[in-house]
Amino acid sequence: MKTLILGNGAAGIEAALSLRKHNEETSITLLTESRWLHYYRPKLIHFLAEEQSPEDLITYDEAFYQKKNIYNILGRKAVAIDTSARRVTDQYGGVYGYDQLLIATGSRPFVPPIDGIGKEGVFTLRSITDAQRIRRYSEQVTDVVVIGGGLLGLENSFSLHQLGKKVTVIESVPWLLPRQLDETGGKYLQKLLEAKGLNFLLGGQVETIVGGTQVEGVRLKDGRFISCGAVLVSAGVRGDMDFLKGTPIAANRGILVDDRMRTNVEGVWAAGDVCEHRGITYGLWIVAREQGQVAGLDMAGQPTSYEGSIPSSLLKITGINVFSMGDVKAVGESLEALNESSYKKLVVDDHAHPLAAMVVGDRSAIGTAQKVMSGKVPAEEFKKHLQPPEEHRD
Ligand SMILES: Cc1cc2nc3c(=O)[nH]c(=O)nc-3n(C[C@H](O)[C@H](O)[C@H](O)COP(=O)(O)OP(=O)(O)OC[C@H]3O[C@@H](n4cnc5c(N)ncnc54)[C@H](O)[C@@H]3O)c2cc1C
């Protein structure tokens, strides 16, 4: 039995390990475009800001894979799949046969079709190599524009700020973290980040990246111009599914999978950012791991079920605690408080079931919000965090 896994990210590695745990016989090959062994991708934010070696990010060394009898092929990108002959071809013409195939190729940054986007000095951050390029290039610039005020955009911005750059974040929605916070929360967070030295242009859309071969600035649709030497695009991600062309594997925003992470084609599974489960593509590390585990178990003949996740997010490295979980657009009864040091909100339905929670700046409220959202404590518990600070201290 030959198992081939495309991609050594969270989903691919988790699948390989859970498959190996339950099946010592099958050969497992991880075929990956990246030239690095598996690493914890969220740490790239720190890697961008601090002097670290790529090896510091790597989770398992070569010896670990040898012990687990997992064969890594790095620096090879799958470009075609033949599901009838059960083989995959890489960009150099290498051919790999399989009995079972898991597609765990993750996603890529979405780059909007902005005029001038191809200029030298425009970057996205997804890999160690991207972070190295950004660091190197930013040595010669003082001002950077970050396109996108989502989680990754803010984290990227803060890393660049830590590198001593003057950073301006441009976001088309009038407040920050529009997928994680409501307007009050987003605007409150903006004030805290401005106090830390970041600059924001909200409700604006970049129309052109100005310059010769290199970036010199960006022009917004409303005519405003911001001078900068580099642009970091952080406008969400998309699954990269070019290699599906000509296959019967069904895909929408991601490769469609059932609760066992099986695609519509026998012998082919998909997990992580590249897949779409019950209409959702998550783009979250923990979800990719969980889905990878379910796929690995299924490939080992131990079917189990992935039932979906309630997305939750935390903002890293800015030193401001931000938590969001559930559907921030949910309508219901709202328990909320805004004061100088924090913003907290819990939305519940008519039966006091939690629908969404968002917290900016109060670590203890985050703990309670997490417990409420996962059903461990009743929504009432959140109320203790809504009292004015003095009363709360008593
Ligand atoms: C800077 C950064 C910070 C993040 N922070 C967080 C966070 O704090 N919390 C959180 O939940 N999520 C975070 N994420 C998102 C998280 O990293 C992803 O959801 C997660 O990595 C998805 O895992 P995956 O295994 O599906 O894909 P990936 O981790 O993207 O791995 C896919 C692998 O497949 C390889 N590959 C791609 N195409 C091919 C191909 N054609 N052939 C062979 N190999 C291929 C790639 O080289 C890659 O190694 C962050 C992402 C980034 C970039």
Side-chain angles (χ1 to χ4, degrees), residues 260-275:
R260 287 164 55 183
M261 309 317 289
R262 295 175 302 183
T263 69
N264 62 316
V265 173
E266 214 193 313
V268 183
W269 288 255
D273 282 10
V274 77
C275 81

Side-chain angles (χ1 to χ4, degrees), residues 6-13 31-36 39-45 76-79 104-108 125-127 152 155-156 240 243 271-274 282-289 312 314 316:
L6 305 182
N8 72 351
I13 211 77
L31 176 73
T32 303
E33 181 184 5
S34 162
R35 67 186 180 88
W36 304 100
Y39 58 93
Y40 182 50
R41 204 171 291 282
K43 259 198 179 170
L44 283 176
I45 295 295
R76 297 255 168 173
K77 178 179 178 170
V79 292
T105 47
S107 52
R108 279 168 204 275
L125 175 63
R126 181 75 194 174
S127 65
L152 206 49
E155 290 175 348
N156 284 334
D240 175 14
F243 51 79
D273 282 10
V274 77
Y282 287 93
L284 293 172
W285 181 267
I286 192 119
V287 172
R289 280 191 61 177
S312 87
L314 278 168
K316 303 186 292 282

Side-chain angles (χ1 to χ4, degrees), residues 330-335 346-356 373 379:
V331 179
E333 190 196 341
S334 171
L335 312 171
L346 179 73
V347 183
V348 295
D349 69 11
D350 294 345
H351 307 286
H353 289 136
L355 301 171
M373 289 303 291

Side-chain angles (χ1 to χ4, degrees), residues 58 216 301:
I58 308 285
E216 287 169 19

